[in-house]
Amino acid sequence: MKLKFLYAALILSGAALSAPERLAAQSSSAALKLTDNYDFIKFSNPWLSARNPAGLLHIDTVRISTASISAESVSGNDASKVFSLGARAESFYQLGKSLVFFGEVEYQNSSLKGSEGSAFMSTDRLPFDLVEAEPNPGKAQQNRYHLTGAIAGEISSVLALGAKLDYTAADFSKHKDLRHQNYLMDLRINGGAHLHLGDKFEAGLDLIYRRSTESVRFDLYGTADKTYWTLISYAAFMGRKEAFGEAGYTEKGRQIPLFNEFKGAGAQFVWMPAEGLKFFGDVSYLKRDGYYGEKSTSTAQFDTFKGNVLEVNLRADYSRGGNLHTLEAAYSTEALDNYSTNFREVENQENTARYYEYYSPVKRARKVWNSLSGTYTLQMDFTGQTPAWIIKAGFGYERCVQTGYEYPFYRKQRLTIQQFRASAVRNMIGKSIIWGLRAGVAYSKGSGAAFDDGVLAQPSAGQEDPASMEQYLLQNHEFLTSPQWGAVLGIRATFLAKALGLRPYVDLQYSLRRASDLTWIQGNARNCINLTIGTAF
C-alpha cells in the first residue's frame, strides 16, 4: 500500500486568523476533546474548502489533523468487481499568528475484475474516446497518488495572499489483450488574494492553472492470429475503427499522450448582512486546450481540441439557536470542440529522412455539458463541534448534448439526468464514545434518445456509414437514463485517547444501487461495503 510514501509526504498544516463569525471555535491551547470534529471545522467556513488558498486564514483552530486507512469492495449480480485499499491524511496547521498551512496526501490501490470499454482511466468529458470494438473483459490494476500543499499569509489587516499545489499521479494496466498501460499526471496550481473590506464584506481573486497528461500504450502478449480493432469514438460511440498495429491511435508499444491544459481566473465574495447570516459566492472561467499524440518530425499528432468552462458556486449559512442551516447551489457549463488532424508522411528530396506534413484539421465533435445542483444541510443541537443531527436533502440536474461528425454523416445525442437525494445522521454523545448512525436514499432518472443520426449532404455512391458500437451505445444510454434508486446505511464509533492525543474512530458503511427497465446491461444491482479506521489529532 506504500504507506511509507503516504506519511513521508504528509504536510502537516493548520490554523489561522479568526473568521468574522466563529461557530463552536476551538481554543488554541485546548487539548483534543471527544466532541472536536474535523469535518465540521472544514465545513463551517466555505473559505476552508474553496479553490482560493488565501482563504485558509479563516481557520479557527491552531492545529487539527486527520488520518485514515480504508478498504472497499464493490460487486453486483454481474461479473465485474472492484476491491480498493486506501490511506489518507489531511491537516490544518498554524505557524505564528498570520501564517497557515494545509496539507493532504492520499494513496489508493484498486483491483478490477471484468474491466472493458474505454482505454482511458476516466471517461469524464473526453474530447474523444478509444473503445474496444469487441468487448473483451479482463483483470486490471490501478494505483493513485494524490498530494496537496497550500499556504496562506497575512500581508496586512486588509490583504492576505495564498498559493496551492495539487498533484495527482496514477497508473493503470489491463492484463488481457488488447492490453494497455496508462500513466496519469494531473497538476493544479492556484495563487490567490483575499481582501477584508470591513465587518460585512470580503473578496477574493485567484489565478488558475491546470495541466494533465494521460499516456496510453497498447500492446499484445498473445500469439493467436487475431486482429484487434478499436473504435475511435467521436461522440456517442460513433466514429471509425482502427486495427492495432504499427501506426495510428493504438500504435504498438508507443506511449501516446492525451494532453489537457486549463488557464483561467476566479473571484469570490462574502457578505454578512446580519448576525448569524453569511453569503458566499465563487465564480471561475477557464480556457481549455489539448491534443492527442506528439507533433514532431518522427511522431504524429492525431487530434486537437479546445473549449471553455464556467463554474458558479453559491452558499448561504444561517446560525440561530445552536443550529446551523446551509444552502448550497452550483452551476457549471462546458463546451468542447474536437478536431482530427490531416497529415501525411513524406520523404525529403535526398530520401534520407521522413517527416509529417500537416493540413487543415477536420471537426469531429462538439460537446456541451450543463449541470445544476442544490443541497440543504441542517446541523442541530451541538455539543462542542459535534451536532446531534445532520439532515441533508439535495437535487442534481445534468444535460449533455454531443454531436459527432464523419462527413457527411453525423450523430447527435441529447441526454438529461435528474437526481434526488436525502440523508440523516444521528450522533449519540456519551462520556467516552460517540455513536454515529446514518441513513440515506437517492433516486435518479434520465431521458433522451440514444442517438439521432443524419447527414449534412448526400453521401456519394458506395460511401459507407461511419463505424458504431451499438452494444456500448445502448448500455451507456441505459446506465444514464434508466430509473435507479440507492440506499446507504452506516455506523461510526468515535473514542478519545487522551494519553495519546488522538480521537480514533471506526466507520462501517453499506450502500446498494439498483436499476430497473434494463435490456442491454447485465446485472441491475451494485453493492458497496466500506470499512474505514482513522483518527483525528
Side-chain angles (χ1 to χ4, degrees):
M1 193 182 296
K2 301 186 180 179
L3 289 176
K4 291 183 179 179
F5 163 83
L6 178 70
Y7 289 106
L10 173 61
I11 303 174
L12 290 178
S13 45
L17 299 177
S18 299
E21 280 217 354
R22 302 186 178 185
L23 182 56
Q26 178 186 8
S27 167
S28 63
S29 60
L32 192 66
K33 302 181 183 66
L34 178 64
T35 56
D36 290 344
N37 191 324
Y38 184 94
D39 293 334
F40 171 75
I41 291 174
K42 192 172 181 179
F43 178 82
S44 64
N45 195 309
W47 281 113
L48 301 183
S49 54
R51 186 187 56 257
N52 186 345
L56 291 175
L57 287 171
H58 286 267
I59 188 74
D60 263 341
T61 182
V62 169
R63 186 195 70 185
I64 189 165
S65 307
T66 182
S68 64
I69 56 175
S70 63
E72 182 176 272
S73 175
V74 180
S75 61
N77 49 8
D78 61 359
S80 63
K81 294 182 180 180
V82 180
F83 181 74
S84 301
L85 294 173
R88 183 171 178 267
E90 189 174 322
S91 180
F92 292 92
Y93 182 73
Q94 179 182 10
L95 181 63
K97 295 182 178 181
S98 58
L99 194 62
V100 176
F101 294 93
F102 169 77
E104 178 185 3
V105 62
E106 181 179 11
Y107 170 74
Q108 185 179 61
N109 171 268
S110 299
S111 299
L112 299 86
K113 181 181 178 181
S115 176
E116 62 178 332
S118 174
F120 294 109
M121 281 188 267
S122 173
T123 58
D124 184 41
R125 303 196 175 185
L126 288 173
F128 69 95
D129 202 355
L130 299 176
V131 184
E132 296 171 328
E134 297 179 6
N136 197 25
K139 294 181 179 180
Q141 196 82 14
Q142 178 173 299
N143 294 287
R144 180 180 178 272
Y145 310 84
H146 179 222
L147 176 66
T148 301
I151 183 173
E154 183 185 54
I155 306 303
S156 69
S157 60
V158 175
L159 177 64
L161 299 178
K164 181 167 74 173
L165 184 147
D166 186 301
Y167 178 77
T168 298
D171 60 79
F172 178 95
S173 57
K174 183 179 178 181
H175 306 307
K176 188 174 183 180
D177 295 336
L178 180 64
R179 303 166 187 253
H180 57 88
Q181 291 183 315
N182 302 47
Y183 303 93
L184 173 69
M185 184 282 294
D186 192 341
L187 176 65
R188 307 178 190 219
I189 300 174
N190 293 81
H194 174 273
L195 298 171
H196 187 76
L197 305 175
D199 295 334
K200 295 186 176 182
F201 296 98
E202 300 174 23
L205 294 170
D206 68 316
L207 298 177
I208 308 164
Y209 179 75
R210 177 189 174 190
R211 63 183 296 159
S212 68
T213 303
E214 181 175 354
S215 299
V216 189
R217 184 177 66 190
F218 293 88
D219 220 327
L220 187 66
Y221 288 178
T223 57
D225 186 16
K226 179 180 178 180
T227 301
Y228 289 87
W229 293 87
T230 296
L231 175 69
I232 304 167
S233 174
Y234 303 137
F237 298 95
M238 185 276 282
R240 63 182 181 86
K241 289 184 179 180
E242 177 184 273
F244 171 71
E246 302 302 321
Y249 287 71
T250 59
E251 180 179 336
K252 181 179 180 180
R254 178 185 166 194
Q255 194 166 300
I256 305 178
L258 176 66
F259 176 79
N260 277 277
E261 186 175 55
F262 298 81
K263 298 177 182 178
Q268 302 81 36
F269 77 89
V270 169
W271 178 40
M272 295 167 283
E275 183 178 356
L277 181 62
K278 180 191 297 184
F279 296 97
F280 174 85
D282 188 351
V283 180
S284 64
Y285 179 79
L286 301 173
K287 296 288 289 183
R288 178 181 179 181
D289 293 284
Y291 55 83
Y292 180 73
E294 295 176 290
K295 189 174 183 178
S296 71
T297 56
S298 58
T299 57
Q301 186 178 92
F302 301 103
D303 282 72
T304 62
F305 48 90
K306 59 183 179 180
N308 54 78
V309 186
L310 173 67
E311 294 184 348
V312 180
N313 292 280
L314 301 173
R315 172 169 160 168
D317 290 301
Y318 180 58
S319 175
R320 185 178 181 181
N323 299 330
L324 176 62
H325 305 259
T326 302
L327 184 62
E328 299 170 284
Y331 170 76
S332 70
T333 180
E334 179 173 356
L336 184 64
D337 295 305
N338 183 51
Y339 302 83
S340 65
T341 57
N342 272 327
F343 60 86
R344 65 170 183 165
E345 189 176 13
V346 297
E347 286 186 336
N348 60 12
Q349 293 181 350
E350 294 79 17
N351 295 325
T352 58
R354 302 180 68 87
Y355 60 94
Y356 290 95
E357 285 185 349
Y358 288 86
Y359 307 97
S360 298
V362 177
K363 188 171 184 176
R364 293 301 189 187
R366 167 74 172 177
K367 303 180 181 183
V368 179
W369 298 273
N370 291 283
S371 64
L372 177 67
S373 64
T375 304
Y376 169 73
T377 304
L378 171 61
Q379 301 184 78
M380 304 169 57
D381 303 330
F382 281 86
T383 300
Q385 296 168 340
T386 299
W389 285 95
I390 305 174
I391 299 172
K392 287 189 176 184
F395 75 93
Y397 172 88
E398 298 181 29
R399 180 168 174 78
C400 175
V401 179
Q402 53 179 331
T403 308
Y405 303 97
E406 178 71 10
Y407 192 83
F409 305 96
Y410 73 84
R411 169 171 290 175
K412 184 180 287 287
Q413 185 186 70
R414 307 176 185 88
L415 297 181
T416 301
I417 305 169
Q418 300 89 30
Q419 303 167 334
F420 304 93
R421 57 192 179 274
S423 63
V425 177
R426 176 69 169 103
N427 291 313
M428 295 171 287
I429 303 171
K431 291 184 179 180
S432 59
I433 187 172
I434 299 176
W435 287 102
L437 304 176
R438 64 184 178 274
V441 293
Y443 176 80
S444 68
K445 189 178 187 305
S447 60
F451 63 94
D452 178 14
D453 289 350
V455 294
L456 301 172
Q458 186 65 30
S460 59
Q463 188 170 5
E464 296 183 356
D465 291 345
S468 178
M469 271 289 294
E470 303 302 326
Q471 179 178 338
Y472 282 151
L473 169 66
L474 297 174
Q475 285 179 344
N476 186 68
H477 180 259
E478 279 191 346
F479 177 78
L480 295 173
T481 62
S482 64
Q484 301 178 40
W485 64 267
V488 59
L489 294 173
I491 184 171
R492 174 179 290 204
T494 304
F495 313 90
L496 181 63
K498 286 186 177 180
L500 300 175
L502 301 177
R503 184 178 176 267
Y505 67 87
V506 179
D507 188 288
L508 179 65
Q509 178 173 291
Y510 169 76
S511 62
L512 170 66
R513 184 178 180 182
R514 185 176 291 273
S516 59
D517 300 340
L518 298 181
T519 301
W520 293 89
I521 295 178
Q522 295 181 356
N524 66 341
R526 304 295 286 172
N527 302 277
C528 177
I529 300 176
N530 182 284
L531 174 65
T532 301
I533 301 173
T535 185
F537 54 95

